[in-house]
Amino acid sequence: MPTPHYGQPRYRVIADEIRKRLEHGIIAPGALLPTESALTAEFRASRGTIRQAIATLRDEGLVSTEHGRGTHATIQTNGQSDATEREVLADNRLASLFAVRAGTTLIEVERVTRKNGQVESVIRTYRTKPPSPAAP
Amino acid sequence: MPTPHYGQPRYRVIADEIRKRLEHGIIAPGALLPTESALTAEFRASRGTIRQAIATLRDEGLVSTEHGRGTHATIQTNGQSDATEREVLADNRLASLFAVRAGTTLIEVERVTRKNGQVESVIRTYRTKPPSPAAP
DNA sequence: AGAAATTTGTCCGTATGTATC
DNA sequence: AGATACATACGGACAAATTTC
C-alpha cells in the first residue's frame, strides 16, 4: 500500500489511543511507555509517525522523553481542583528566559478560570524546578 | 555524503538563521516566509529538516503556518514592557479546554517577573480571540 | 572499565493527500 | 481546472545517550 490517510491522520489516531491508555491508567504515571520500535510493530506505522504521535502527547504535557532512556508518563500532581501542576521541558523561549538549556525540566502550574461553565482563560505559570535535596 | 551532523543539528542552525532574520526585520512582521521548497534550496536541506526548523520557530511563537497558504512572521504587539501579546494556535490541550478545534487562533499574553535581574516566573494567559467587528 | 545492545535523535529521499489561490 | 504550498507517511541510514553485560 502506498500512503493513504483519509479522515484523521494516523499519528493522531495513535496519539488518541495512547492517551486513552494513560488516562485509564493502563500506563501508570511514571511508567515507561513501549519503545518506538514496539509501537511501530503494534500500530504497523513507521517510526516517524510514531514519533509524531508521541510528540503530540509531549505537547500536551502527558509524557516526557529522554534521549537513550525512553518516554515515560508524566507524574500529574492533580487532585480534583482546577489547578494542575506538572513537569514540562523548557521550550526554546522559556529556556532563553530562564537562562537554562532547552529541555531543562520546569514546573508548570495551570489554572483555568470559567464563566458560566465556559472556560474564560487559561493561565500557565512556569518556574524553575527547585534543586532536590538528594546527594549520593 | 551520507548524513553528517556534528555539533548543532542542522534544523536548529537553520532555525537560528531564520530567527535572526525575523529579529533583524529582514522578514517583516506579518510577511510570508520563503516557501519550504525555497528554504530547501537555500539551505541545501531536506524538507523534513526545514519543516523541523519552522516547527521550532512556531513553538517559540515567532511564526504561524496555514495549510495551503504559507508561513508568516507573527505580529508582535510588543512595546518595550515585560508583557508581550501574540496570536498562537491552540495545541490539543488548549483546544479541548476552550472547546475549539486544534489550531484555532488564541491570544496569548506573556508576562515575566524578575528578581535581582533573574527571571523568577513566566506567566502565560490564553484567551479566545474576540470576533472581529467586520460585517460583509 | 570497556564493549555491546538498546533507545531516542537527526537527516535524507520519495510519494501521495489536501487546502488555497 | 491547474498551479502552488503545506501535511502526512514510508523507509533507510547514521549519531548520541543510556543501560546492560
Side-chain angles (χ1 to χ4, degrees):
Chain A
M1 259 84 72
T3 313
H5 61 95
Y6 307 102
Q8 283 275 90
R10 302 196 54 188
Y11 77 89
R12 212 174 298 176
V13 174
I14 295 170
D16 289 346
E17 171 59 31
I18 299 176
R19 189 186 305 105
K20 194 193 301 179
R21 294 182 193 177
L22 291 168
E23 290 166 347
H24 289 22
I26 298 172
I27 300 174
L32 276 174
L33 269 68
T35 66
E36 292 177 354
S37 6
L39 294 172
T40 292
E42 178 185 348
F43 291 105
R44 305 294 196 89
S46 74
R47 206 182 143 210
T49 302
I50 296 295
R51 283 175 60 76
Q52 208 167 348
I54 291 176
T56 301
L57 300 173
R58 199 163 37 226
D59 213 48
E60 300 171 19
L62 292 175
V63 302
S64 177
T65 303
E66 285 167 272
H67 190 170
R69 298 209 52 182
T71 299
H72 57 83
T74 304
I75 298 154
Q76 303 249 358
T77 313
N78 180 9
Q80 63 221 25
S81 94
D82 237 350
T84 59
E85 178 172 335
R86 50 177 179 268
E87 297 186 357
V88 299
L89 302 182
D91 61 21
N92 287 346
R93 180 168 181 80
L94 287 173
S96 76
L97 283 171
F98 283 109
V100 299
R101 278 179 307 192
T104 301
T105 301
L106 297 176
I107 304 292
E108 178 197 82
V109 178
E110 181 182 84
R111 294 178 181 79
V112 179
T113 72
R114 293 171 203 275
K115 198 169 189 175
N116 304 329
Q118 281 280 312
V119 171
E120 189 182 13
S121 67
V122 176
I123 302 151
R124 291 176 179 170
T125 304
Y126 298 89
R127 288 192 181 76
T128 54
K129 190 178 174 185
S132 57
Chain B
M1 256 84 74
T3 311
H5 61 95
Y6 308 102
Q8 285 273 87
R10 299 198 54 189
Y11 77 90
R12 209 175 301 178
V13 173
I14 295 170
D16 289 346
E17 172 58 30
I18 299 176
R19 189 186 305 104
K20 194 192 300 180
R21 294 182 193 176
L22 292 167
E23 289 168 347
H24 289 22
I26 298 172
I27 300 174
L32 278 172
L33 269 67
T35 66
E36 292 178 352
S37 5
L39 295 172
T40 293
E42 178 184 349
F43 292 104
R44 304 296 195 86
S46 76
R47 269 196 68 204
T49 303
I50 296 296
R51 284 175 57 76
Q52 210 168 349
I54 292 176
T56 300
L57 300 173
R58 200 163 37 227
D59 210 49
E60 300 171 20
L62 292 175
V63 302
S64 177
T65 303
E66 284 168 90
H67 191 165
R69 296 207 54 185
T71 299
H72 57 81
T74 304
I75 298 154
Q76 303 250 359
T77 313
N78 181 7
Q80 64 222 26
S81 97
D82 239 351
T84 55
E85 178 172 336
R86 46 175 181 268
E87 298 186 357
V88 299
L89 302 182
D91 61 21
N92 288 345
R93 177 168 182 80
L94 287 173
S96 76
L97 283 170
F98 282 109
V100 298
R101 279 179 305 193
T104 301
T105 301
L106 297 177
I107 305 292
E108 179 196 82
V109 177
E110 182 182 86
R111 293 180 182 78
V112 179
T113 71
R114 288 186 167 81
K115 198 167 189 174
N116 303 331
Q118 280 280 313
V119 171
E120 187 182 20
S121 68
V122 176
I123 303 147
R124 292 176 178 169
T125 304
Y126 298 89
R127 288 189 180 78
T128 54
K129 193 179 172 185
S132 55

mmCIF file of all heavy atoms in Angstrom, chain A residues 1 8 12 14 21 35 40 47-49 55 58 70 84 110-111 115 122-123 134:
data_model
loop_
_atom_site.group_PDB
_atom_site.id
_atom_site.type_symbol
_atom_site.label_atom_id
_atom_site.label_comp_id
_atom_site.label_asym_id
_atom_site.label_seq_id
_atom_site.Cartn_x
_atom_site.Cartn_y
_atom_site.Cartn_z
ATOM 1 N N MET A 1 0.846 -1.216 0.000
ATOM 2 C CA MET A 1 0.000 0.000 0.000
ATOM 3 C C MET A 1 0.870 1.251 0.000
ATOM 4 O O MET A 1 1.881 1.291 0.686
ATOM 5 C CB MET A 1 -0.895 0.040 1.223
ATOM 6 C CG MET A 1 -2.326 -0.383 0.924
ATOM 7 S SD MET A 1 -2.546 -2.159 0.971
ATOM 8 C CE MET A 1 -2.433 -2.438 2.736
ATOM 9 N N GLN A 8 -8.915 11.157 9.816
ATOM 10 C CA GLN A 8 -7.912 11.510 10.801
ATOM 11 C C GLN A 8 -6.537 11.014 10.359
ATOM 12 O O GLN A 8 -6.410 9.881 9.919
ATOM 13 C CB GLN A 8 -8.264 10.858 12.138
ATOM 14 C CG GLN A 8 -9.386 11.567 12.877
ATOM 15 C CD GLN A 8 -8.885 12.711 13.703
ATOM 16 O OE1 GLN A 8 -8.812 13.840 13.235
ATOM 17 N NE2 GLN A 8 -8.524 12.442 14.936
ATOM 18 N N ARG A 12 -2.434 10.966 14.739
ATOM 19 C CA ARG A 12 -3.385 11.461 15.725
ATOM 20 C C ARG A 12 -4.199 10.310 16.297
ATOM 21 O O ARG A 12 -4.487 10.279 17.491
ATOM 22 C CB ARG A 12 -4.306 12.498 15.079
ATOM 23 C CG ARG A 12 -4.731 13.571 16.065
ATOM 24 C CD ARG A 12 -5.527 14.676 15.400
ATOM 25 N NE ARG A 12 -4.765 15.390 14.376
ATOM 26 C CZ ARG A 12 -5.276 16.348 13.608
ATOM 27 N NH1 ARG A 12 -6.548 16.686 13.740
ATOM 28 N NH2 ARG A 12 -4.532 16.951 12.701
ATOM 29 N N ILE A 14 -3.176 7.306 16.638
ATOM 30 C CA ILE A 14 -2.271 6.593 17.544
ATOM 31 C C ILE A 14 -2.124 7.370 18.848
ATOM 32 O O ILE A 14 -2.153 6.798 19.940
ATOM 33 C CB ILE A 14 -0.906 6.380 16.866
ATOM 34 C CG1 ILE A 14 -1.072 5.444 15.657
ATOM 35 C CG2 ILE A 14 0.106 5.825 17.843
ATOM 36 C CD1 ILE A 14 0.150 5.348 14.773
ATOM 37 N N ARG A 21 -4.911 5.136 27.056
ATOM 38 C CA ARG A 21 -4.237 4.214 27.983
ATOM 39 C C ARG A 21 -3.642 4.956 29.171
ATOM 40 O O ARG A 21 -3.623 4.449 30.289
ATOM 41 C CB ARG A 21 -3.126 3.461 27.253
ATOM 42 C CG ARG A 21 -3.653 2.545 26.192
ATOM 43 C CD ARG A 21 -2.550 1.777 25.511
ATOM 44 N NE ARG A 21 -3.051 1.131 24.308
ATOM 45 C CZ ARG A 21 -2.308 0.432 23.453
ATOM 46 N NH1 ARG A 21 -1.018 0.311 23.681
ATOM 47 N NH2 ARG A 21 -2.851 -0.121 22.394
ATOM 48 N N THR A 35 8.675 1.119 23.711
ATOM 49 C CA THR A 35 9.661 1.802 22.880
ATOM 50 C C THR A 35 9.066 2.134 21.517
ATOM 51 O O THR A 35 8.023 1.603 21.132
ATOM 52 C CB THR A 35 10.895 0.916 22.658
ATOM 53 O OG1 THR A 35 10.509 -0.227 21.889
ATOM 54 C CG2 THR A 35 11.474 0.466 23.979
ATOM 55 N N THR A 40 5.905 0.857 16.805
ATOM 56 C CA THR A 40 5.947 0.666 15.354
ATOM 57 C C THR A 40 5.332 -0.677 14.975
ATOM 58 O O THR A 40 4.525 -0.769 14.055
ATOM 59 C CB THR A 40 7.410 0.704 14.868
ATOM 60 O OG1 THR A 40 7.921 2.024 15.043
ATOM 61 C CG2 THR A 40 7.510 0.314 13.412
ATOM 62 N N ARG A 47 8.327 4.684 12.014
ATOM 63 C CA ARG A 47 8.847 5.287 13.228
ATOM 64 C C ARG A 47 8.520 6.776 13.274
ATOM 65 O O ARG A 47 8.195 7.321 14.321
ATOM 66 C CB ARG A 47 10.362 5.067 13.290
ATOM 67 C CG ARG A 47 10.876 5.073 14.703
ATOM 68 C CD ARG A 47 12.386 4.897 14.736
ATOM 69 N NE ARG A 47 12.932 5.717 15.789
ATOM 70 C CZ ARG A 47 14.142 6.252 15.768
ATOM 71 N NH1 ARG A 47 14.910 6.056 14.726
ATOM 72 N NH2 ARG A 47 14.567 6.983 16.763
ATOM 73 N N GLY A 48 8.618 7.433 12.126
ATOM 74 C CA GLY A 48 8.309 8.855 12.068
ATOM 75 C C GLY A 48 6.899 9.139 12.542
ATOM 76 O O GLY A 48 6.661 10.107 13.267
ATOM 77 N N THR A 49 5.979 8.325 12.134
ATOM 78 C CA THR A 49 4.585 8.521 12.532
ATOM 79 C C THR A 49 4.422 8.317 14.034
ATOM 80 O O THR A 49 3.740 9.090 14.712
ATOM 81 C CB THR A 49 3.690 7.551 11.758
ATOM 82 O OG1 THR A 49 3.872 7.764 10.358
ATOM 83 C CG2 THR A 49 2.227 7.756 12.114
ATOM 84 N N ALA A 55 5.150 13.032 20.079
ATOM 85 C CA ALA A 55 5.383 14.476 20.177
ATOM 86 C C ALA A 55 4.092 15.194 20.537
ATOM 87 O O ALA A 55 4.105 16.175 21.283
ATOM 88 C CB ALA A 55 5.935 15.007 18.858
ATOM 89 N N ARG A 58 3.562 14.763 24.139
ATOM 90 C CA ARG A 58 4.545 15.571 24.860
ATOM 91 C C ARG A 58 4.087 17.018 24.882
ATOM 92 O O ARG A 58 4.229 17.726 25.875
ATOM 93 C CB ARG A 58 5.896 15.434 24.161
ATOM 94 C CG ARG A 58 7.067 15.817 25.024
ATOM 95 C CD ARG A 58 8.373 15.285 24.452
ATOM 96 N NE ARG A 58 8.394 15.347 23.002
ATOM 97 C CZ ARG A 58 8.803 14.339 22.231
ATOM 98 N NH1 ARG A 58 9.209 13.212 22.765
ATOM 99 N NH2 ARG A 58 8.817 14.450 20.925
ATOM 100 N N GLY A 70 14.034 6.631 27.071
ATOM 101 C CA GLY A 70 12.682 6.260 26.679
ATOM 102 C C GLY A 70 11.695 7.368 26.992
ATOM 103 O O GLY A 70 12.086 8.475 27.354
ATOM 104 N N THR A 84 -3.639 22.467 38.030
ATOM 105 C CA THR A 84 -2.843 21.270 37.853
ATOM 106 C C THR A 84 -1.381 21.650 37.750
ATOM 107 O O THR A 84 -1.038 22.674 37.170
ATOM 108 C CB THR A 84 -3.237 20.519 36.576
ATOM 109 O OG1 THR A 84 -3.053 21.390 35.460
ATOM 110 C CG2 THR A 84 -4.690 20.086 36.624
ATOM 111 N N GLU A 110 -1.021 25.165 35.957
ATOM 112 C CA GLU A 110 -2.058 25.632 35.042
ATOM 113 C C GLU A 110 -3.347 25.883 35.806
ATOM 114 O O GLU A 110 -3.825 25.021 36.543
ATOM 115 C CB GLU A 110 -2.302 24.591 33.941
ATOM 116 C CG GLU A 110 -3.346 25.016 32.929
ATOM 117 C CD GLU A 110 -3.561 23.922 31.892
ATOM 118 O OE1 GLU A 110 -4.351 23.006 32.165
ATOM 119 O OE2 GLU A 110 -2.922 23.978 30.829
ATOM 120 N N ARG A 111 -3.871 27.061 35.636
ATOM 121 C CA ARG A 111 -5.145 27.397 36.268
ATOM 122 C C ARG A 111 -6.150 27.751 35.191
ATOM 123 O O ARG A 111 -5.807 28.363 34.186
ATOM 124 C CB ARG A 111 -4.990 28.570 37.232
ATOM 125 C CG ARG A 111 -4.122 28.264 38.421
ATOM 126 C CD ARG A 111 -3.960 29.476 39.326
ATOM 127 N NE ARG A 111 -3.101 29.164 40.461
ATOM 128 C CZ ARG A 111 -1.773 29.115 40.405
ATOM 129 N NH1 ARG A 111 -1.153 29.378 39.274
ATOM 130 N NH2 ARG A 111 -1.062 28.815 41.469
ATOM 131 N N LYS A 115 -16.506 30.928 33.293
ATOM 132 C CA LYS A 115 -17.607 31.866 33.373
ATOM 133 C C LYS A 115 -18.818 31.163 32.769
ATOM 134 O O LYS A 115 -18.802 30.833 31.581
ATOM 135 C CB LYS A 115 -17.266 33.139 32.583
ATOM 136 C CG LYS A 115 -18.130 34.329 32.951
ATOM 137 C CD LYS A 115 -17.538 35.596 32.333
ATOM 138 C CE LYS A 115 -18.242 36.846 32.840
ATOM 139 N NZ LYS A 115 -17.584 38.063 32.322
ATOM 140 N N VAL A 122 -6.986 30.515 30.381
ATOM 141 C CA VAL A 122 -6.067 29.510 30.902
ATOM 142 C C VAL A 122 -4.768 30.225 31.250
ATOM 143 O O VAL A 122 -4.210 30.937 30.421
ATOM 144 C CB VAL A 122 -5.797 28.406 29.866
ATOM 145 C CG1 VAL A 122 -4.759 27.430 30.396
ATOM 146 C CG2 VAL A 122 -7.090 27.680 29.513
ATOM 147 N N ILE A 123 -4.345 30.084 32.484
ATOM 148 C CA ILE A 123 -3.139 30.769 32.946
ATOM 149 C C ILE A 123 -2.087 29.728 33.301
ATOM 150 O O ILE A 123 -2.327 28.848 34.118
ATOM 151 C CB ILE A 123 -3.449 31.641 34.177
ATOM 152 C CG1 ILE A 123 -4.538 32.653 33.837
ATOM 153 C CG2 ILE A 123 -2.197 32.342 34.668
ATOM 154 C CD1 ILE A 123 -5.381 33.049 35.023
ATOM 155 N N ALA A 134 18.656 15.409 47.394
ATOM 156 C CA ALA A 134 19.437 14.180 47.303
ATOM 157 C C ALA A 134 20.897 14.489 46.981
ATOM 158 O O ALA A 134 21.192 15.429 46.247
ATOM 159 C CB ALA A 134 18.850 13.271 46.232
#
